[in-house]
Amino acid sequence: MLPSQLYRLPSLQHLDVSHNLISSLNNEIKNLRVLQYVNVEGNQLEGLPVGILSLSLSELRLGGNYTHPVLWTLNSVNSPPSLLHTAAHALALIQPEQRYSTLPPAARLVLSRASVCECCGGPWFGPGLKLIRPIYGLFGLSSVPILFLSCSASCYSRFRKQSHPLTQPLHTG
């Protein structure tokens, strides 16, 4: 993993972290708005984070990673969410935020740590469920595997079944 300070360099234009045994990139890569060139060749990446979709890269080098479509199913194997994360997700969906004050402090702490689901935009607790989807024609490549994290089993299932516009091959001409 790269140091978190890297994602706070607003003027970074060129990132070459090739051949470093990196297994993931942080979604905070989206903060590197002027980034033009990324070389992550020869690492152990399964896919790129959703945050990369916010960038306007002129070149992306991705070869030599674990990103081949044959590996997508294997790399999307998930453990079931913990009972705590499942309960927090259910509670966040039924309990309006303004009523959190009636909950015990430990429950409020868990609920305060919610992230936003990359698939449905709802509340997300815990590590999430991984799903790799290709984005066609991104950064001049035929397809780029993007690693989405969903908030729940039902969200994962819906997202997996939907025909997302970004996952359709781009037709030219």
Side-chain angles (χ1 to χ4, degrees):
M1 177 141 321
L2 297 172
S4 61
Q5 296 87 345
L6 175 82
Y7 301 105
R8 292 186 222 126
L9 298 172
S11 301
L12 186 65
Q13 296 179 12
H14 185 98
L15 178 63
D16 187 338
V17 291
S18 57
H19 306 285
N20 278 292
L21 301 175
I22 296 168
S23 59
S24 66
L25 292 176
N26 191 306
N27 198 38
E28 296 305 306
I29 197 167
K30 66 186 174 192
N31 296 331
L32 303 176
R33 295 293 189 178
V34 298
L35 196 60
Q36 291 295 305
Y37 172 87
V38 174
N39 184 354
V40 290
E41 292 179 313
N43 283 295
Q44 299 174 350
L45 297 171
E46 300 170 352
L48 297 176
V50 172
I52 199 110
L53 298 174
S54 302
L55 304 178
S56 298
L57 299 179
S58 57
E59 186 173 356
L60 171 64
R61 294 178 173 253
L62 186 59
N65 281 285
Y66 302 146
T67 57
H68 192 278
V70 170
L71 300 173
W72 292 350
T73 301
L74 178 65
N75 290 337
S76 293
V77 172
N78 291 294
S79 298
S82 71
L83 183 56
L84 174 67
H85 296 139
T86 302
H89 184 260
L91 188 59
L93 292 176
I94 62 170
Q95 177 87 17
E97 234 177 282
Q98 63 270 22
R99 293 178 53 201
Y100 285 175
S101 61
T102 62
L103 297 173
R108 286 196 311 262
L109 179 63
V110 170
L111 291 168
S112 72
R113 294 182 176 158
S115 298
V116 176
C117 177
E118 298 171 352
C119 300
C120 72
W124 163 34
F125 301 90
L129 299 171
K130 298 189 308 185
L131 177 64
I132 298 172
R133 305 271 309 254
I135 307 297
Y136 295 98
L138 186 64
F139 310 128
L141 299 175
S142 57
S143 73
V144 176
I146 301 295
L147 179 63
F148 291 88
L149 296 171
S150 66
C151 61
S152 65
S154 59
C155 175
Y156 175 91
S157 180
R158 275 191 313 274
F159 189 75
R160 187 172 178 207
K161 291 176 185 173
Q162 85 182 48
S163 176
H164 197 276
L166 291 176
T167 61
Q168 301 304 314
L170 297 175
H171 298 286
T172 56

